[in-house]
Amino acid sequence: MQNLFAGNIRRLLMNANLDYDKIYEIRLRVGRPLFYTYDGGEGFLTDHDGKYVVTREDLKETMEYVSGYSLYSYEDEMRQGFLTVQGGHRVGVTGKVILDGNEIRGMKYISCINVRLAHEVVGCADTVMPYIRKKNWVAHTLIVSPPRGGKTTLLRDIIRQLSNGEDKKKLPGMTVGVVDERSELAGSYQGVPQNDLGMRTDVLDGCPKAEGMEMLIRSMSPAVVAVDELGRKEDFKAVESVIHSGCKVIATAHGNSIEDVIHQPYFEKLVRRRVFERYIFLDKGDHAGTIMGIYDRNGRPC
């Protein structure tokens, strides 16, 4: 992971002896201190003069490493404001946006790079699996948490466990279709998932959720469809199509409570119809992924 960064920053990271399992982001802004965020807050990287201030050359060199000296090959991803690199790490960028009419064509004069470290926590879904799967039954499930609350990490492990099954409990593996619009679940690099989503999982990488769900139903015969961060009107129409096709849905959304979910425009209909059979609420607590509660389709604690 350190090899993604410019030489000066790489040396600081090596000397700092950081525990990368607990770090979420490393952020580079031109003319600003270099800092990282972790479970307990944030920290700064320092050299002999104090806090290290990022230079434009640091950003240029880092982008060269990130893109393999070929930013052109990442043109499509740059339009979305991020790149996914080997290991599943996501590199967000900001700068001068290049427009073609109302369409974003690319970006130049990059002023900030935010490296979001991918973290797999194998087994983190052990606590919730008995509530969402029993023999051949799987619940339509919505995972809700605030930003950085651990919902993507939990969803990733749920997918892995559903896909692999469990011999000891005589739970067969299931075909899972994943629409990974922002390359965060699978962390695909050149089309190959870097994270373990199980042996029976098919991934559509970089595909819009609504279109991807329809594509999976038509072509891959999934038993379960999983998506991260529902939000657009089209997403919810696609969820209804998935359910009507007989597939199960496992999804995530931003929020702190069931009230937050209900008051989001497109969720209200699904909640009112009791589409989701399990709601899992997370909080950061002492660490990301703390389970606040698990509820059934009627809002009763499980």
Side-chain angles (χ1 to χ4, degrees), residues 187-227:
S188 296
Y189 176 70
Q190 297 181 352
V192 180
Q194 304 292 293
N195 297 321
D196 182 7
L197 295 185
M199 67 178 78
R200 298 176 181 86
T201 300
D202 304 305
V203 179
L204 280 175
D205 180 50
C207 180
K209 286 184 279 290
E211 292 87 337
M213 284 187 268
E214 298 284 357
M215 289 169 65
L216 287 170
I217 292 170
R218 288 196 301 265
S219 62
M220 301 308 292
S221 303
V224 178
V225 171
V227 294

Side-chain angles (χ1 to χ4, degrees), residues 11 44 50 53 74 88 98 105 115 125 161 175 205 244 251 265 273 275 283 285 289-290 292:
R11 284 189 289 273
F44 294 88
V53 176
Y74 285 90
I98 304 170
R105 197 177 73 195
V115 179
Q161 295 201 37
T175 301
D205 180 50
H244 290 152
R273 290 175 51 201
V275 166
D283 191 13
T290 301
M292 292 176 60

Side-chain angles (χ1 to χ4, degrees), residues 85-101:
V85 299
Q86 192 165 9
H89 308 301
R90 183 174 169 187
V91 182
V93 294
T94 60
K96 173 68 175 178
V97 174
I98 304 170
L99 293 175
D100 182 4

Side-chain angles (χ1 to χ4, degrees), residues 63-75 78 83:
M63 287 304 298
E64 287 175 347
Y65 291 141
V66 164
S67 66
Y69 296 92
S70 180
L71 262 180
Y72 177 79
S73 63
Y74 285 90
E75 195 173 59
M78 287 289 287
L83 300 79

Side-chain angles (χ1 to χ4, degrees), residues 32 72 98 106 142 144 197 255-256 263 289:
R32 298 291 184 268
Y72 177 79
I98 304 170
L142 183 66
V144 182
L197 295 185
N256 294 296
H263 292 138

Side-chain angles (χ1 to χ4, degrees), residues 30-209:
V30 174
R32 298 291 184 268
L34 173 64
F35 73 92
Y36 55 91
T37 59
Y38 60 100
D39 263 348
E42 64 181 28
F44 294 88
L45 292 177
T46 61
D47 59 11
H48 58 279
D49 293 324
K51 294 176 182 176
Y52 182 80
V53 176
V54 177
T55 67
R56 187 165 293 278
E57 187 60 34
D58 288 330
L59 262 70
K60 180 182 177 183
E61 187 179 344
T62 298
M63 287 304 298
E64 287 175 347
Y65 291 141
V66 164
S67 66
Y69 296 92
S70 180
L71 262 180
Y72 177 79
S73 63
Y74 285 90
E75 195 173 59
D76 288 340
E77 289 188 77
M78 287 289 287
R79 290 192 188 101
Q80 301 179 68
F82 68 89
L83 300 79
T84 301
V85 299
Q86 192 165 9
H89 308 301
R90 183 174 169 187
V91 182
V93 294
T94 60
K96 173 68 175 178
V97 174
I98 304 170
L99 293 175
D100 182 4
N102 292 324
E103 298 292 323
I104 296 175
R105 197 177 73 195
M107 195 177 297
K108 63 181 181 179
Y109 306 134
I110 293 171
S111 59
C112 175
I113 297 174
N114 180 31
V115 179
R116 296 183 61 178
L117 276 62
H119 293 295
E120 281 188 279
V121 184
V122 174
C124 69
D126 289 352
T127 302
V128 304
M129 289 306 293
Y131 295 94
I132 65 176
R133 178 166 192 191
K134 296 176 182 178
K135 294 186 178 179
N136 292 321
W137 175 81
V138 174
H140 295 302
T141 301
L142 183 66
I143 303 165
V144 182
S145 84
R148 295 185 190 167
K151 61 185 178 299
T152 301
T153 303
L154 180 64
L155 176 60
R156 186 184 297 124
D157 199 54
I158 289 173
I159 294 167
R160 181 188 65 81
Q161 295 201 37
L162 289 173
S163 177
N164 288 343
E166 188 172 347
D167 292 337
K168 291 182 179 179
K169 294 183 179 179
K170 297 183 179 180
L171 296 174
M174 310 179 77
T175 301
V176 182
V178 174
V179 186
D180 200 5
E181 183 170 6
R182 297 186 300 175
S183 304
E184 287 191 299
L185 285 168
S188 296
Y189 176 70
Q190 297 181 352
V192 180
Q194 304 292 293
N195 297 321
D196 182 7
L197 295 185
M199 67 178 78
R200 298 176 181 86
T201 300
D202 304 305
V203 179
L204 280 175
D205 180 50
C207 180
K209 286 184 279 290

Side-chain angles (χ1 to χ4, degrees), residues 1-20 23 26 34 36 44-47:
M1 191 279 298
Q2 293 171 345
N3 291 333
L4 293 175
F5 296 94
N8 288 340
I9 295 174
R10 193 183 315 147
R11 284 189 289 273
L12 293 175
L13 290 169
M14 293 174 67
N15 291 337
N17 194 28
L18 301 174
D19 182 356
Y20 291 102
I23 294 177
I26 299 174
L34 173 64
Y36 55 91
F44 294 88
L45 292 177
T46 61
D47 59 11

